[in-house]
Structures are given as C-alpha cells and as structure tokens.
C-alpha cells in the first residue's frame, strides 16, 4: 500500500473511541472516522456501568480477559493520572459467606497471581481496617488496585483528544449500504475504508453477520439495576464484593464507590428484552424481541447454564428491598430503603454460546484481513479498552 490507509470504526463507545485514539497515536493511518448511530457518543454501556477499574483476578489465565485486564488496569489508572481525571483509589475487598465460598476465594487468588495482579488473602480480624462495614466468614481478598474512575470524564477527555487529532467523529448515522471498501451513510456520505473495526457493543454480532461472519452465538442481554445514595451516613472506604459464581460472567450484587466516594449498590443481572431496553418499554427493538423471547423461553424450560434459577433469583431485584436484603449478606449496615434511589441502569451485551449452551465468558475477537470485530464486549471491557485498542491496532498495522 503506497498511501496511508483509511480506517473506519463503527461504534462510538469507549472501545471504538479508544481504538480511534490508538490509531491516531501510531500515525499509520490517513483518515480515521468513527461512526455512531446515536446523536451523542458513548450513551450506552460505556457510561452506564460501575466505573470500576478491575484488577483482573476473576479470569482463567488462558482467556483474553486475563491477558488484557491486569496491564489494562495499570494503563487506565495511568491515563487518568496523566490527564488529571478523577479517580477513587479505594481498593476492593472480596468477602465470603461460608466454607464453600472460602474455597472460591483461594481460586480467585490463584487466578489473580497467575494473571499478575497485586492481591492478597487476609484474615477476618483485619477486615475492619480495610472496610469496617464489610463482613466475611473466615478470610477476605484485598485488591488495592481496584479503583474507580468517572466514565463520563473519561469519554469527554478521549473525545477532546480525538477532536484535536482531527479524527472524523460522525454521530446520528445509519449504515444504509456497504461493500468491500465503502459504507454509505444516512447523511448521504459515502465513506471509503481500507480497514474497518466493528465496535458496536450489543449490536456487534449483527454488524459482523452483515459482513458475512458466521458464529454460534446469540445475544442474550442482562439488565443491571443499581441503587445509589449521596447520604454521608453511608460512608465506606472500599468496594465490597461477594465471591461470585465463577462459572458465570456476573459478579453478584456488590457495593461500589464512585469517584466522588458515593455508594452504589448493584448491578443486578435480570434478563432483558432488548439491548437498549432501560425502562419498561424504552428501547424495545422488535427484531431482537422476536429472537430473544423464544431463546429465553427455551432456556427457561431447559435450564441450560442454570438460566431458570438465575432468572427467578434476579427478577426479585426489581424491588429495592430485595437488593438491600441481598447486599446485607456482605455488609453490616442499616440500609433504609428511602435513602436509596434507582440509578441509571446498564445492559450487558452478553453472548450465549449455542454450542456449549452456556454464557460466553470471554471477549470474542474476530480478525479478518482488513476488518476486526469485537464481540461479547462485556465487563471488564471498559477497564480493558486502552489495552484492547493497542491489540486491535497492532493487528491491523501488521497487515499493512
Ligand atoms: C451494568 C454494567 C456494569 C458494568 N461495570 C463495569 C465496570 O465496572 N468495569 C468495567 O470494566 N466494565 C464494566 N461494564 C462493562 C462495560 O461497561 C462494557 O463492556 C463497555 O462499556 C463496552 O463498551 P463498548 O464501546 O464495546 O460498547 P457500548 O458502550 O455499547 O458502545 C457501542 C456503541 O456502538 C453504537 N452502535 C451500535 N450499533 C451501531 C451501528 N450499526 N452503527 C453505528 N453505531 C452503532 C452504540 O450506539 C454505542 O454507542 C459494565 C457493564 C454494565 C452493563
């Protein structure tokens, strides 16, 4: 290729925007364009999450999450510090409720050590000096590098960098037509590309299929509801998480502190009917609904990966008191329902693997000669965004 190539990124969430930033930094591309369907960037998962910079100890060492997360944690903490973005260096404790969970705690420690995380298991008598409101059975895991940052400040800063770098940022665009090296947009513009990245979050599977990628995945979204409070009487020092079911990609209802040290409780994992169905009827996508309802019914009947039990447990969390009751299993605090408000929910772009009949736990990266699709962009994809961007651009540049 004599001339520098053009890069087009579909999807303007944290993943798409950090890829655009990395593409600019390596200086190997001519025009870099980000295409977003909404009239603002990053209004879905990327700003509807817990804002927790995960350390990387949950993941099996052969997974992409494990390969990315520990260094991604450092990259994101350093990025926030260099750009003076607000963070909360609170750290996190993972606590247990019984002997069985203690065994899982040691499994997390073992995974974390393999993944290069700075973590340690400590006895119960030390818990109060890390988080006096937390309770545990025997021991707890301490992760000093599990901080939180502000998803909105982060996005604003990346957008500022992209504008300064003259990256073309196109909002409110639908892709009407496409070919081997062009996209035709609803604005009438035709964008030519040499390389294309699909970073469309919950829509990534659809976009990949549009480009002929065949998979054994289906989207199975889960809604994360949160409760939040600004009251000073609920002051805590660290995030408190339960030991999760390590076969599922969810972490269980926990407490997190945002960058202002305000308490948030959640998120739930309630089966959702569309990827942007935040309130009862908002964002219902009939195309998704017609595929999802039969899949959910089938899973309810057959109970693959314990879906029925999970759904029955989670549906109770549409009531505030049930969320508070659940979190009281890991903290000793009087929680008054009236002090907590519902906070904007998020929906996980979770994929169901119809071959293994289970939820896909890892990121799924589909690499083609000149296209790259990022599927199953679930937690900790926000933490991992700078690292994922580095990986994707390295792969594309290799093909120059
Ligand atoms: C409740 C919840 C809590 C979470 N907590 C954390 C956490 O604490 N830490 C962490 O690391 N991760 C967390 N995550 C995960 C994290 O938020 C996501 O993995 C991450 O934000 C995914 O980013 P994304 O850019 O891939 O997706 P998105 O933010 O969804 O962005 C995709 C973008 O593509 C656009 N798009 C879709 N289709 C098209 C199209 N055809 N054309 C143009 N544009 C299109 C969408 O409008 C959207 O803006 C959480 C997720 C949820 C739901």
């Amino acid at each position: 290729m004599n001339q520098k190539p053009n890069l087009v990124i579909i999807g303007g969430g944290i993943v798409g925007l950090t890829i655009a930033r990395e593409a600019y930094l390596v200086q190997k591309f001519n025009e870099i364009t980000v295409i977003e369907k909404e009239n603002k960037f990053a209004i879905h998962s990327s700003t509807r999450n817990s804002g927790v910079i995960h350390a990387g100890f949950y993941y099996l060492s052969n997974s992409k999450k494990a390969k990315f997360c520990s260094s991604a944690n450092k990259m994101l903490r350093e990025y926030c510090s260099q750009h003076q973005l607000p963070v909360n260096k609170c750290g996190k404790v993972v606590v247990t409720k019984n002997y069985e969970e203690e065994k899982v705690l040691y499994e997390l420690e073992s995974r974390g050590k393999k993944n290069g995380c700075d973590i340690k298991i400590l006895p119960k008598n030390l818990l109060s000096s890390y988080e006096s409101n937390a309770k545990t059975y025997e021991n707890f895991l301490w992760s000093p590098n599990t901080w939180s940052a502000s998803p909105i400040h982060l996005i604003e800063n990346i957008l500022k960098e992209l504008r300064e770098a003259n990256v073309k940022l196109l909002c409110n665009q639908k892709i009407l037509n496409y070919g081997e090296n062009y996209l035709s947009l609803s604005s009438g513009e035709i964008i030519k590309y040499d390389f294309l990245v699909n970073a469309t979050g919950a829509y990534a599977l659809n976009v990949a299929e549009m480009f002929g990628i065949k998979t054994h995945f289906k989207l199975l979204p889960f809604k994360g509801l949160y409760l939040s409070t600004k009251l000073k009487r609920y002051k805590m020092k660290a995030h408190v998480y339960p030991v999760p079911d390590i076969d599922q990609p969810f972490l269980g209802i926990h407490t997190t502190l945002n960058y202002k040290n305000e308490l948030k409780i959640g998120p739930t994992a309630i089966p959702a009917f569309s990827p942007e169905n935040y309130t009862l009827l908002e964002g219902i996508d009939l195309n998704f609904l017609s595929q999802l309802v039969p899949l959910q019914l089938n899973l309810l009947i057959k109970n693959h990966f314990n879906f029925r039990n999970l759904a029955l447990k989670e549906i109770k969390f549409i009531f505030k008191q049930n969320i508070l009751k659940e979190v009281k299993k890991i903290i000793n605090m009087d929680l008054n329902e009236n002090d907590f408000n519902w906070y904007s929910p998020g929906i996980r772009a979770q994929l169901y693997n119809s071959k293994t009949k289970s939820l896909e736990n890892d990121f799924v990266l589909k690499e083609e000669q000149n296209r790259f699709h990022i599927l199953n962009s679930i937690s900790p994809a926000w933490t991992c965004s700078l690292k994922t961007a580095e990986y994707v651009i390295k792969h594309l540049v290799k093909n120059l």
Side-chain angles (χ1 to χ4, degrees):
M1 208 173 277
N2 298 329
Q3 215 183 316
K4 280 185 180 176
N6 289 341
L7 171 68
V8 169
I9 297 152
I10 318 177
I14 187 75
V15 174
L17 295 175
T18 47
I19 290 171
R21 175 181 174 272
E22 183 67 23
Y24 160 71
L25 290 177
V26 299
Q27 296 284 309
K28 299 270 188 194
F29 297 93
N30 177 27
E31 193 168 67
I32 303 164
T33 308
V34 184
I35 298 168
E36 168 56 48
K37 71 177 166 56
E38 305 289 350
N39 57 17
K40 264 182 93 181
F41 287 95
I43 64 165
H44 294 297
S45 284
S46 298
T47 49
R48 288 172 167 273
N49 59 34
S50 305
V52 171
I53 308 180
H54 286 291
F57 53 81
Y58 290 106
Y59 321 116
L60 285 168
S61 59
N62 60 358
S63 65
K64 293 178 195 77
K65 285 185 179 180
K67 289 197 175 87
F68 288 2
C69 197
S70 160
S71 50
N73 168 288
K74 189 160 177 270
M75 284 167 91
L76 186 52
R77 288 187 291 118
E78 282 174 2
Y79 181 89
C80 291
S81 151
Q82 274 159 18
H83 295 267
Q84 289 162 5
L85 301 179
V87 290
N88 187 341
K89 301 181 181 179
C90 55
K92 140 170 164 178
V93 296
V94 182
V95 297
T96 65
K97 296 190 279 295
N98 50 46
Y99 176 69
E100 286 308 307
E101 291 193 354
E102 285 281 322
K103 289 197 264 183
V104 183
L105 198 68
Y106 283 93
E107 171 62 21
L108 294 182
E109 186 202 29
S110 151
R111 289 183 184 191
K113 292 263 147 83
K114 281 187 197 145
N115 298 345
C117 306
D118 174 11
I119 47 168
K120 55 186 171 190
I121 290 197
L122 294 168
K124 187 180 183 165
N125 63 330
L126 295 182
L127 183 56
S128 60
S129 48
Y130 290 84
E131 173 47 69
S132 57
N133 298 294
K135 56 181 175 185
T136 197
Y137 179 70
E138 285 290 340
N139 297 292
F140 68 98
L141 185 146
W142 168 241
S143 166
N145 292 333
T146 306
W147 297 3
S148 44
S150 160
I152 291 182
H153 285 86
L154 177 63
I155 286 291
E156 280 169 357
N157 200 72
I158 292 168
L159 283 170
K160 182 171 138 265
E161 285 189 279
L162 295 180
R163 284 189 195 104
E164 285 167 5
N166 286 327
V167 168
K168 211 165 153 186
L169 295 168
L170 303 178
C171 277
N172 229 345
Q173 299 289 336
K174 277 205 176 72
I175 297 165
L176 297 183
N177 206 344
Y178 56 91
E180 255 318 293
N181 58 4
Y182 77 91
L183 297 175
S184 129
L185 304 181
S186 46
S187 58
E189 202 170 344
I190 296 194
I191 308 269
K192 293 219 160 142
Y193 68 81
D194 300 292
F195 290 97
L196 180 132
V197 176
N198 164 14
T200 52
Y203 285 83
L205 190 59
N206 293 30
V207 173
E209 281 167 359
M210 184 172 108
F211 285 100
I213 299 279
K214 289 194 174 32
T215 71
H216 44 270
F217 297 114
K218 289 175 178 160
L219 185 77
L220 189 61
F222 288 86
K223 191 181 292 187
L225 301 177
Y226 290 100
L227 294 176
S228 75
T229 183
K230 291 187 193 316
L231 294 181
K232 293 274 178 283
R233 82 180 190 86
Y234 295 108
K235 198 167 160 38
M236 291 179 75
K237 252 171 84 178
H239 304 305
V240 183
Y241 281 59
V243 155
D245 174 348
I246 49 172
D247 296 326
Q248 306 284 12
F250 313 124
L251 300 181
I253 289 195
H254 47 264
T255 67
T256 57
L257 300 170
N258 70 5
Y259 70 98
K260 293 183 191 163
N261 214 45
E262 291 161 353
L263 175 65
K264 239 165 97 172
I265 301 177
T268 62
I270 303 172
F273 296 119
S274 289
E276 294 166 7
N277 170 217
Y278 299 115
T279 53
L280 196 60
L281 295 174
E282 180 193 1
I284 292 266
D285 180 328
L286 291 180
N287 284 334
F288 273 109
L289 195 67
S290 59
Q291 294 162 28
L292 258 171
V293 172
L295 173 63
Q296 288 168 336
L297 283 176
N298 186 37
L299 291 173
L300 274 177
I301 295 164
K302 298 197 174 137
N303 203 21
H304 293 315
F305 72 86
N306 246 338
F307 178 80
R308 189 190 314 130
N309 310 41
L310 177 74
L312 290 176
K313 179 178 180 204
E314 290 285 331
I315 198 69
K316 289 190 295 193
F317 298 139
I318 57 170
F319 299 108
K320 269 188 194 177
Q321 76 255 32
N322 290 338
I323 296 187
L324 297 181
K325 201 168 146 199
E326 183 70 15
V327 83
K328 283 182 81 165
K329 293 179 184 166
I330 56 169
I331 58 169
N332 271 322
M333 230 186 196
D334 275 337
L335 303 171
N336 184 337
E337 206 181 307
N338 300 323
D339 294 341
F340 288 85
N341 296 312
W342 292 107
Y343 188 85
S344 43
I347 298 185
R348 301 169 179 83
Q350 178 65 55
L351 294 185
Y352 169 69
N353 185 330
S354 53
K355 242 191 205 165
T356 58
K357 302 204 183 325
S358 60
L359 293 178
E360 181 58 43
N361 232 321
D362 205 2
F363 304 142
V364 178
L365 306 177
K366 294 277 175 198
E367 304 163 13
E368 298 182 278
Q369 186 68 19
N370 71 333
R371 287 190 287 252
F372 202 112
H373 305 270
I374 297 150
L375 310 180
N376 214 32
S377 192
I378 51 170
S379 186
W382 182 79
T383 302
C384 293
S385 53
L386 292 168
K387 183 73 191 170
T388 308
E390 203 182 77
Y391 181 89
V392 171
I393 293 301
K394 249 188 206 150
H395 171 81
L396 296 182
V397 165
K398 187 178 80 198
N399 292 334
L400 283 181

